[in-house]
Amino acid sequence: MTTSRRHFWHGARDSLPIVASAAPFGLLFGALAVDNGLSIGEAVLMSAMLYAGASQMVGIELFGAHVAPWLVVFSVFAVNFRHVLYSAALGRKMDLIPGWRKAVAFFFLVDPQFAAAETRYEVGKPLTFAWYMGLAVPIYIFWVLEAWAGALFGNLIAHPEAIGLDFVLSIYFLGLVLGFRKRANWLPVVIASGLGSILAYWLVGSPWHVSLGALVGVCVAVLLPLKPDDPVADAAEAPL
Amino acid sequence: MSNDFLGVSVNIWIIIAGALVTYATRVGGHLVLSRVKRIPPRVEAALNAVPAAVLTTLVAPAAVFNGPAEALTLGICLVIGLRIPMMAMFGIGWALIVALRAAGL
């Protein structure tokens, strides 16, 4: 077996726990997407093109609330902004991945992909394109298939609120917030954006509580004393 | 939102634009930040806080403005979520909201 084929299969093997832990959320995305008014095709297209779980969930939550299109796109952008830091950190370590292949690799840079690639680099194993894609391809294929299967299932549910489907996104978002708890100044930021969003929801109304609340949290982060940070620690715990 | 723009549904345009900004974040860090020798620490602190800040705004009003079943579910999830894995917390939370609503809360 050639080296690159061997690396690809090592990557595929490394992807198995990630595929398993992302599966429930891939299916849930499909079901909630149709519940919030997307067609099955649109749900699959969103998973295939964005390939970013948390922001896809934020997107469909706002699709359901009928807010202005630019605000949906902006919220997706804001939630995915953490990838800027992943890309900057990992890009320096991708010397073995040349030119256009690097551009392809960045498309697949979801949280667990970043965590696995950083870990591989830290233990001194080669960060090759073959290993990287061996990891990425199964995660991606299952993610897209799960959107389709979830959407088919979601179409069959007549009363989503009877099985709590209208509320599971809030629980999911809470889980993501807790997943970031190792970040510097996490608690004051969360308290500030929580209070800010409640106040904005009450005074101005939806969807402005998202941008106004987040602005309060980010301002608190800027004003507080600086602390060092470890982006790999929380990427390893994010579902996708 | 079933209206069209240039013959294509607005939903599709949102998905395409969302995909472009997402890819921009994944390639942009490498293209832009690797050229800056050192990111100003306050800028980095702001960038670091963005995801938790945005996601919190989607949870907090849901806990306050829905009802007792929803508030209780998120409160319990907050406490247990600090101790058990995300997946387990999610499963327990889902069971809780269904049970509390069935109980008439």
Side-chain angles (χ1 to χ4, degrees), chain A residues 21 24-25 28 37-38 42 45-46 49-52 58 63 66-67 69 72-73 76-85 87-88 91 102-103 106-107 109-110 161 163-168 170-178 180-181 183 189-190 193-194 197-198 201-202 209-210 213-214 218 221-224 226 229 239, chain B residues 1 9-31 33-34 36-37 39 41-66 69-71 73-75 77-84 86-87 89-90 93-94 97-98 101:
Chain A
S21 64
F25 300 107
L28 183 67
L38 292 195
E42 286 166 347
L45 187 73
M46 197 166 176
M49 287 185 71
L50 266 79
Y51 185 48
V58 171
F63 266 122
H66 298 282
V67 307
V72 181
V73 176
V76 166
F77 181 63
V79 171
N80 284 333
F81 211 82
R82 66 190 187 285
H83 294 132
V84 169
L85 299 171
S87 152
K102 208 183 266 183
F106 279 125
F107 175 81
L109 191 61
V110 290
E161 64 285 348
I163 55 165
L165 260 190
D166 57 314
F167 194 66
V168 290
S170 300
I171 305 172
Y172 170 80
F173 292 141
L174 175 65
L176 293 182
V177 170
L178 294 177
F180 288 113
R181 68 181 177 274
R183 289 208 172 181
V189 168
V190 165
S193 27
S197 66
I198 290 167
Y201 192 94
W202 184 52
H209 64 286
V210 180
V218 170
V222 172
L223 296 173
L224 281 173
L226 298 167
D229 212 21
Chain B
M1 278 190 279
S9 105
V10 169
N11 284 357
I12 301 284
W13 284 115
I14 295 177
I15 292 169
I16 292 171
L20 289 175
V21 297
T22 301
Y23 185 69
T25 64
R26 286 178 178 159
V27 77
H30 179 61
L31 293 182
L33 286 190
S34 59
V36 182
K37 282 205 179 65
I39 311 163
R42 301 255 167 219
V43 175
E44 195 174 356
L47 295 185
N48 253 326
V50 170
V54 172
L55 290 164
T56 302
T57 68
L58 297 170
V59 184
V64 175
F65 295 108
N66 270 307
E70 288 78 7
T73 299
L74 288 179
C77 285
L78 175 64
V79 175
I80 61 174
L82 292 169
R83 288 165 182 82
I84 61 174
M86 152 104 180
M87 189 81 78
M89 181 277 262
F90 183 76
W94 195 336
I97 188 66
V98 174
R101 280 179 180 176

Side-chain angles (χ1 to χ4, degrees), chain A residues 1-233:
Chain A
M1 196 150 55
T2 65
T3 310
S4 59
R5 188 172 291 184
R6 198 161 41 91
H7 280 180
F8 185 89
W9 287 112
H10 281 173
R13 193 192 54 201
D14 293 344
S15 78
L16 294 179
I18 301 171
V19 168
S21 64
F25 300 107
L27 292 166
L28 183 67
F29 167 75
L32 292 176
V34 294
D35 187 31
N36 280 284
L38 292 195
S39 68
I40 295 176
E42 286 166 347
V44 173
L45 187 73
M46 197 166 176
S47 269
M49 287 185 71
L50 266 79
Y51 185 48
S55 71
Q56 288 176 229
M57 299 288 200
V58 171
I60 56 170
E61 166 116 335
L62 296 176
F63 266 122
H66 298 282
V67 307
W70 69 267
L71 196 70
V72 181
V73 176
F74 184 76
S75 303
V76 166
F77 181 63
V79 171
N80 284 333
F81 211 82
R82 66 190 187 285
H83 294 132
V84 169
L85 299 171
Y86 296 173
S87 152
L90 196 63
R92 291 185 206 121
K93 298 164 186 170
M94 287 161 72
D95 298 337
L96 295 175
I97 304 179
W100 66 270
R101 289 189 178 87
K102 208 183 266 183
V104 173
F106 279 125
F107 175 81
F108 296 97
L109 191 61
V110 290
D111 305 75
Q113 179 91 25
F114 170 69
E118 282 283 335
T119 307
R120 185 173 171 89
Y121 184 86
E122 292 308 320
V123 299
K125 290 182 183 168
L127 194 55
T128 57
F129 188 62
W131 175 83
Y132 189 96
M133 293 311 290
L135 185 79
V137 167
I139 305 174
Y140 180 77
I141 289 175
F142 276 97
W143 184 253
V144 175
L145 288 177
E146 284 150 15
W148 176 68
L152 285 179
F153 177 72
N155 252 357
L156 301 176
I157 305 169
H159 301 288
E161 64 285 348
I163 55 165
L165 260 190
D166 57 314
F167 194 66
V168 290
L169 267 189
S170 300
I171 305 172
Y172 170 80
F173 292 141
L174 175 65
L176 293 182
V177 170
L178 294 177
F180 288 113
R181 68 181 177 274
K182 285 172 191 146
R183 289 208 172 181
N185 291 324
W186 174 81
L187 190 62
V189 168
V190 165
I191 291 173
S193 27
L195 292 177
S197 66
I198 290 167
L199 205 63
Y201 192 94
W202 184 52
L203 293 174
V204 194
S206 181
W208 295 103
H209 64 286
V210 180
S211 34
L212 293 175
L215 188 65
V216 176
V218 170
C219 287
V220 166
V222 172
L223 296 173
L224 281 173
L226 298 167
K227 289 182 190 166
D229 212 21
D230 177 15
V232 183

